[in-house]
Amino acid sequence: MGEIWKGAPVAQALTERLIPRAKALTAQGVPPTLAIVRVGERPEDLSYERGALKRCETAGITVKRFHLPDTASQEELLSVIHCINEEQAIHGCLLFRPLPRHMDEKAVCESLAPAKDMDGITSGSLASVFSGTGEGYPPCTAQACVEMLHHYGCDLTGKRVVVVGRSLVVGRPLAMLLLHEHATVTLCHTRTRDLPGECRRAEVLIAAAGKANMLGTEHLSPGQLVLDVGINVDEHGHLVGDVSFAAAQDTAAAVTPVPGGVGAVTTSVLAAHVILAAERAAGR
Ligand code: NDP
């Protein structure tokens, strides 16, 4: 029976390390501050926002919320982002996506100052993830995977890591973060010829495809560490990952659950980005 790697202890350990840094910033007159921008009332955004608020409160981060109706114009949203860019007391911004269809999402994302982009949505931030300069901030979910592996003592140096999914939100930036950790990385996608074979060869298998239970016994091999990033609703209306949890528990050395795995770490990574952005603004 494989171990279950939960996200909560990882999130808690990360948050505990942030608290003294937030206190020091506040004492210096720079209270770390995050802006959350939400257009509309999508239930998943509301739920993530509640989690982010709670996490930031625990860490000692102030949150300013900017809510617009989904009928808002792109100009109205751009004007909110412009204010955030200009406001020195705001160190970072989280913008919920997807935006309503009448908006040009790329243009809106690019209008955010890269220094305040806490979730890797600007090309400036992503470029720094790819070049490894460390100036920008990777997407929180991608970094949450690496935090998870660190917390549970996995040294990635030389490890064969397979990531299923190549989106700009998870797969691609995650591959870069893993490369910086000296892993040997394979990215799989819908055109991959032998997905089960590629997955079985992995020492660390990370699923980020967004397909309920798509990886089963034929994709797994004994001793693997399996991280499941997927958040899907199955045919019974249950929240499940991309990996069959029962199959992974039978075969793998460790597996992250859904819910309660990688997803539970993302708000603490967001908080860590805000603290770092505030420290940079304070010249630390
Ligand atoms: P996308 O739909 O943008 O990308 C999915 C990727 O998976 C694509 O690269 C696609 O390949 C690949 N893929 C899909 N089906 C298959 C298949 N059958 N075989 C091989 N590859 C496949 O999804 P995201 O990256 O945005 O999200 C992935 C999952 O992670 C989702 O379940 C999402 O809900 C979850 N997620 C969780 C977060 C959190 O924990 N907070 C945050 C963000 C995402 P191709 O490029 O060829 O189409």
Side-chain angles (χ1 to χ4, degrees), residues 48 141 164-172 188-192 195 207-211 214 229-232 242 262-264 266:
Y48 193 84
T141 305
V164 184
R166 57 176 166 180
S167 76
L168 274 179
V169 181
V170 191
R172 280 184 222 210
C188 295
H189 44 79
T190 52
R191 311 288 175 92
T192 297
L195 185 66
K211 295 278 176 329
M214 75 169 255
V229 180
I231 302 177
N232 316 290
D242 290 351
V262 175
T266 51

Side-chain angles (χ1 to χ4, degrees), residues 66 88 151 157 243:
F66 298 84
Q88 281 191 11
H151 180 90
T157 308
V243 182

Side-chain angles (χ1 to χ4, degrees), residues 169-181:
V169 181
V170 191
R172 280 184 222 210
L174 174 56
M176 291 302 127
L177 297 179
L178 294 164
L179 268 184
H180 298 320
E181 300 275 328

Side-chain angles (χ1 to χ4, degrees), residues 122-134 136 180:
T122 59
S123 41
S125 221
L126 277 180
S128 93
V129 175
F130 279 60
S131 63
T133 59
H180 298 320

Side-chain angles (χ1 to χ4, degrees), residues 59-255:
I61 295 168
T62 303
V63 178
K64 291 190 191 306
R65 288 186 281 172
F66 298 84
H67 295 163
L68 284 83
D70 52 15
T71 50
S73 68
Q74 179 164 323
E75 286 62 40
E76 285 172 280
L77 178 57
L78 287 173
S79 140
V80 167
I81 293 177
H82 178 72
C83 291
I84 290 168
N85 286 343
E86 295 295 307
E87 177 53 66
Q88 281 191 11
I90 293 177
H91 306 106
C93 173
L94 175 72
L95 168 67
F96 284 109
R97 295 180 299 158
L99 294 172
R101 280 166 177 272
H102 63 274
M103 294 187 183
D104 176 348
E105 187 163 297
K106 191 167 184 337
V108 173
C109 289
E110 293 300 341
S111 75
L112 178 64
K116 297 193 178 185
D117 172 13
M118 300 290 96
D119 200 18
I121 66 168
T122 59
S123 41
S125 221
L126 277 180
S128 93
V129 175
F130 279 60
S131 63
T133 59
E135 284 159 19
Y137 305 89
C140 296
T141 305
Q143 193 177 332
C145 293
V146 177
E147 298 293 346
M148 198 98 187
L149 289 162
H150 283 171
H151 180 90
Y152 286 104
C154 171
D155 178 4
L156 285 159
T157 308
K159 287 260 174 10
R160 277 192 312 279
V161 183
V162 170
V163 179
V164 184
R166 57 176 166 180
S167 76
L168 274 179
V169 181
V170 191
R172 280 184 222 210
L174 174 56
M176 291 302 127
L177 297 179
L178 294 164
L179 268 184
H180 298 320
E181 300 275 328
H182 311 296
T184 303
V185 186
T186 303
L187 270 181
C188 295
H189 44 79
T190 52
R191 311 288 175 92
T192 297
R193 221 179 301 131
D194 175 20
L195 185 66
E198 295 293 348
C199 291
R200 278 198 307 272
R201 278 188 283 281
E203 293 170 89
V204 179
L205 175 61
I206 308 182
K211 295 278 176 329
N213 297 323
M214 75 169 255
L215 303 183
T217 311
E218 60 169 342
H219 301 87
L220 301 166
S221 58
Q224 280 182 326
L225 306 176
V226 180
L227 268 61
D228 195 347
V229 180
I231 302 177
N232 316 290
V233 179
D234 71 5
E235 66 273 23
H236 310 294
H238 298 139
L239 213 56
V240 296
D242 290 351
V243 182
S244 156
F245 188 71
Q249 260 214 304
D250 275 351
T251 310
V255 59

